[in-house]
Coordinates of all heavy atoms in Angstrom, one line a residue:
E87 N 6.5 -17.3 5.2 CA 7.0 -16.8 6.5 C 8.2 -16.0 6.3 O 8.4 -15.1 7.2 CB 7.2 -18.0 7.4 CG 5.9 -18.7 7.9 CD 6.3 -19.7 9.0 OE1 6.6 -19.3 10.2 OE2 6.1 -20.9 8.8
D88 N 9.1 -16.3 5.4 CA 10.4 -15.6 5.2 C 10.1 -14.5 4.2 O 9.9 -14.9 2.9 CB 11.5 -16.5 4.9 CG 12.0 -17.3 6.1 OD1 12.0 -16.7 7.2 OD2 12.5 -18.4 5.9
L89 N 10.2 -13.3 4.5 CA 10.1 -12.2 3.6 C 11.5 -11.5 3.4 O 12.0 -10.9 4.3 CB 9.1 -11.1 4.1 CG 9.0 -9.8 3.3 CD1 8.4 -10.1 1.9 CD2 8.1 -8.8 4.1
P90 N 12.1 -11.7 2.1 CA 13.4 -11.1 1.9 C 13.2 -9.6 2.0 O 12.4 -9.0 1.3 CB 13.8 -11.6 0.5 CG 12.9 -12.8 0.3 CD 11.6 -12.6 1.1
L91 N 14.2 -8.9 2.7 CA 14.0 -7.5 2.8 C 14.3 -6.8 1.5 O 13.8 -5.7 1.3 CB 15.1 -7.0 3.9 CG 14.9 -7.5 5.3 CD1 15.8 -6.9 6.3 CD2 13.4 -7.4 5.7
N92 N 15.1 -7.3 0.6 CA 15.3 -6.7 -0.7 C 14.2 -6.9 -1.7 O 14.2 -6.4 -2.8 CB 16.6 -7.2 -1.3 CG 16.6 -8.7 -1.6 OD1 15.6 -9.4 -1.4 ND2 17.8 -9.3 -2.0
D93 N 13.0 -7.5 -1.2 CA 11.8 -7.5 -2.0 C 10.9 -6.4 -1.6 O 9.8 -6.2 -2.2 CB 11.1 -8.9 -1.8 CG 11.8 -10.0 -2.6 OD1 12.6 -9.7 -3.4 OD2 11.4 -11.2 -2.3
L94 N 11.2 -5.6 -0.6 CA 10.3 -4.6 -0.1 C 10.3 -3.4 -1.1 O 11.3 -3.0 -1.7 CB 10.7 -4.1 1.3 CG 10.6 -5.1 2.5 CD1 11.3 -4.5 3.7 CD2 9.1 -5.4 2.6
A95 N 9.1 -2.8 -1.2 CA 8.9 -1.6 -1.9 C 9.3 -0.4 -0.9 O 9.3 -0.6 0.3 CB 7.5 -1.4 -2.4
P96 N 9.6 0.8 -1.5 CA 9.9 1.9 -0.6 C 8.7 2.2 0.4 O 7.5 2.0 0.0 CB 10.1 3.1 -1.6 CG 10.5 2.4 -2.8 CD 9.7 1.1 -2.9
I97 N 9.0 2.7 1.6 CA 8.0 2.9 2.5 C 6.9 4.0 2.0 O 5.8 4.0 2.4 CB 8.6 3.4 3.9 CG1 7.5 3.5 5.0 CG2 9.3 4.7 3.7 CD1 6.8 2.2 5.2
E98 N 7.4 4.8 1.1 CA 6.5 5.8 0.5 C 5.3 5.2 -0.3 O 4.3 5.8 -0.4 CB 7.3 6.8 -0.4 CG 8.3 7.7 0.4 CD 9.5 7.0 0.6 OE1 9.8 5.8 0.1 OE2 10.4 7.5 1.4
D99 N 5.5 4.0 -0.7 CA 4.5 3.3 -1.5 C 3.3 3.0 -0.6 O 2.1 2.8 -1.1 CB 4.9 2.0 -2.0 CG 5.8 2.2 -3.2 OD1 6.2 3.3 -3.5 OD2 6.1 1.2 -4.0
L100 N 3.5 3.0 0.8 CA 2.4 2.9 1.7 C 1.3 3.9 1.5 O 0.1 3.7 1.6 CB 2.8 2.8 3.1 CG 1.8 2.8 4.2 CD1 1.0 1.5 4.1 CD2 2.5 2.9 5.6
L101 N 1.7 5.1 1.3 CA 0.8 6.3 1.1 C -0.2 6.1 0.0 O -1.4 6.2 0.1 CB 1.6 7.5 1.0 CG 2.7 7.9 2.1 CD1 3.3 9.2 1.7 CD2 2.0 7.9 3.4
D102 N 0.4 5.7 -1.2 CA -0.5 5.4 -2.4 C -1.4 4.3 -2.1 O -2.6 4.3 -2.5 CB 0.4 5.2 -3.6 CG 1.2 6.4 -4.0 OD1 0.7 7.5 -3.8 OD2 2.2 6.2 -4.7
H103 N -0.9 3.2 -1.4 CA -1.7 2.0 -1.2 C -2.9 2.3 -0.3 O -4.0 1.9 -0.6 CB -0.8 1.0 -0.5 CG -1.4 -0.4 -0.2 ND1 -1.9 -1.1 -1.3 CD2 -1.8 -1.0 0.9 CE1 -2.4 -2.2 -0.8 NE2 -2.4 -2.2 0.5
V104 N -2.6 3.1 0.8 CA -3.7 3.5 1.7 C -4.8 4.3 0.9 O -6.0 4.1 1.1 CB -3.2 4.2 2.9 CG1 -4.3 4.8 3.7 CG2 -2.4 3.3 3.8
Y105 N -4.3 5.2 0.1 CA -5.2 6.1 -0.6 C -6.1 5.2 -1.5 O -7.3 5.4 -1.6 CB -4.5 7.2 -1.5 CG -5.4 7.8 -2.4 CD1 -6.4 8.6 -2.1 CD2 -5.2 7.7 -3.8 CE1 -7.3 9.3 -2.9 CE2 -6.0 8.3 -4.7 CZ -7.1 9.1 -4.3 OH -7.9 9.7 -5.2
E106 N -5.5 4.3 -2.3 CA -6.2 3.4 -3.2 C -7.3 2.5 -2.4 O -8.4 2.4 -2.9 CB -5.2 2.5 -3.9 CG -4.4 3.3 -4.9 CD -3.2 2.4 -5.5 OE1 -3.2 1.2 -5.1 OE2 -2.5 2.9 -6.3
L107 N -6.9 2.1 -1.2 CA -7.8 1.3 -0.5 C -9.0 2.2 0.0 O -10.2 1.7 0.0 CB -7.2 0.7 0.7 CG -6.1 -0.4 0.4 CD1 -5.4 -0.9 1.7 CD2 -6.9 -1.7 -0.2
R108 N -8.8 3.4 0.4 CA -9.9 4.3 0.9 C -10.7 4.6 -0.3 O -12.0 4.6 -0.2 CB -9.2 5.6 1.3 CG -9.1 5.6 2.8 CD -9.1 7.0 3.4 NE -8.6 6.9 4.7 CZ -7.4 7.4 5.1 NH1 -6.6 8.0 4.2 NH2 -6.9 7.2 6.3
L109 N -10.1 4.8 -1.4 CA -11.0 5.1 -2.7 C -11.8 3.9 -3.0 O -13.0 4.1 -3.4 CB -10.1 5.4 -3.9 CG -10.7 6.2 -5.0 CD1 -11.2 7.6 -4.5 CD2 -9.7 6.4 -6.1
A110 N -11.3 2.7 -2.9 CA -12.1 1.5 -3.3 C -13.2 1.2 -2.2 O -14.2 0.7 -2.6 CB -11.1 0.3 -3.3
A111 N -13.0 1.6 -1.0 CA -14.0 1.4 0.1 C -15.1 2.4 0.0 O -16.1 2.1 0.6 CB -13.3 1.4 1.4
S112 N -14.9 3.6 -0.5 CA -15.9 4.5 -0.6 C -16.9 4.3 -1.6 O -16.6 3.5 -2.6 CB -15.2 5.9 -0.8 OG -14.7 6.0 -2.1
T113 N -18.1 4.9 -1.5 CA -19.1 4.6 -2.5 C -19.8 5.9 -2.9 O -21.0 6.1 -2.8 CB -20.2 3.7 -1.8 OG1 -20.7 4.3 -0.6 CG2 -19.7 2.4 -1.6
P114 N -19.0 6.9 -3.3 CA -19.6 8.1 -3.8 C -20.3 8.0 -5.1 O -19.9 7.2 -5.9 CB -18.4 9.1 -3.9 CG -17.2 8.1 -4.3 CD -17.5 6.9 -3.5
S115 N -21.4 8.8 -5.3 CA -22.0 8.8 -6.6 C -21.1 9.5 -7.6 O -21.2 9.2 -8.8 CB -23.3 9.4 -6.6 OG -23.2 10.8 -6.1

């Protein structure tokens, strides 16, 4: 329940994370 703020990654890491999730969800040949 308690998330220390100094444990956070930079907000820019969200961009890479979303891209990786999209890539994992896709099923291209």
